[in-house]
Amino acid sequence: LAIWNLLSAVEIMDIDSLCWMSVASLPVPLSRASLCILEDQIHILGGKDINRKWQKHTFLCSFEKLLKSQLSSRNVWSSQLPELPVEQTTVISHSGYLLAFGGYSTLIKTTVADVYFYDRRQKNWMKLESQLSVPRSHPIIAHLMPQHLLILGG
């Protein structure tokens, strides 16, 4: 039997001192969630829960609030974004937007090549016409230059 250990613990590393500090834990233990920063907000999206089920929930916290949370035990995470339309996606921030790439659709039960963007005015995820060249689940994404993204795996 494999032991599967999930954590809700959140830590921040100070690069100058190479020291870690514990801050407010996530409301639920998660594995394989997507994390991105947009403006001063830390977004945790999706992931597997303690029952090994994929989730579509989102958690949000400002960096300043998270840093201050080491002094208290209160929950600083909120769920202000609507659920993602797919599971097992990778979310990044780019040019002031949240973008979700690929994932697994529970409606059609398959990996998809969909790309979604979060519309802050409408407060919902919008599917873009542009899709990935192939379906991907949890792709690895990096910014190469301001206008270029590298995507692999999945």
Side-chain angles (χ1 to χ4, degrees):
L1 252 183
I3 296 175
W4 207 62
N5 191 15
L6 293 179
L7 295 174
S8 58
V10 178
E11 297 175 291
I12 295 175
M13 179 185 212
D14 181 317
I15 298 296
D16 292 334
S17 67
L18 299 178
C19 291
W20 290 93
M21 71 177 105
S22 294
V23 292
S25 295
L26 290 171
V28 296
L30 285 177
S31 169
R32 299 186 68 188
S34 193
L35 178 144
C36 67
I37 311 289
L38 177 60
E39 293 162 3
D40 182 34
Q41 300 292 314
I42 300 165
H43 297 267
I44 311 287
L45 302 110
K48 275 191 173 182
D49 67 12
I50 199 147
N51 298 314
R52 296 185 184 192
K53 293 192 175 164
W54 287 102
Q55 299 297 312
K56 297 180 188 176
H57 53 234
T58 63
F59 297 112
L60 173 71
C61 182
S62 75
F63 182 67
E64 181 181 336
K65 200 183 278 188
L66 194 60
L67 276 176
K68 290 179 181 175
S69 73
Q70 70 178 12
L71 305 174
S72 72
S73 59
R74 73 185 215 291
N75 183 17
V76 297
W77 296 95
S78 65
S79 297
Q80 295 178 346
L81 293 179
E83 287 185 347
L84 286 161
V86 291
E87 302 170 349
Q88 304 174 41
T89 188
T90 298
V91 179
I92 67 163
S93 63
H94 182 70
S95 300
Y97 297 101
L98 292 177
L99 296 165
F101 296 88
Y104 181 83
S105 170
T106 54
L107 293 174
I108 58 175
K109 304 212 180 311
T110 191
T111 301
V112 295
D114 299 340
V115 178
Y116 291 88
F117 117 92
Y118 182 69
D119 185 331
R120 290 190 272 184
R121 283 175 284 167
Q122 299 282 332
K123 296 190 186 309
N124 65 1
W125 291 94
M126 310 273 293
K127 186 175 175 181
L128 299 180
E129 287 184 31
S130 175
Q131 292 194 326
L132 300 172
S133 59
V134 294
R136 296 174 186 264
S137 175
H138 272 298
I140 299 165
I141 300 174
H143 290 268
L144 289 180
M145 296 176 212
Q147 297 301 318
H148 294 88
L149 297 174
L150 173 69
I151 186 165
L152 60 109

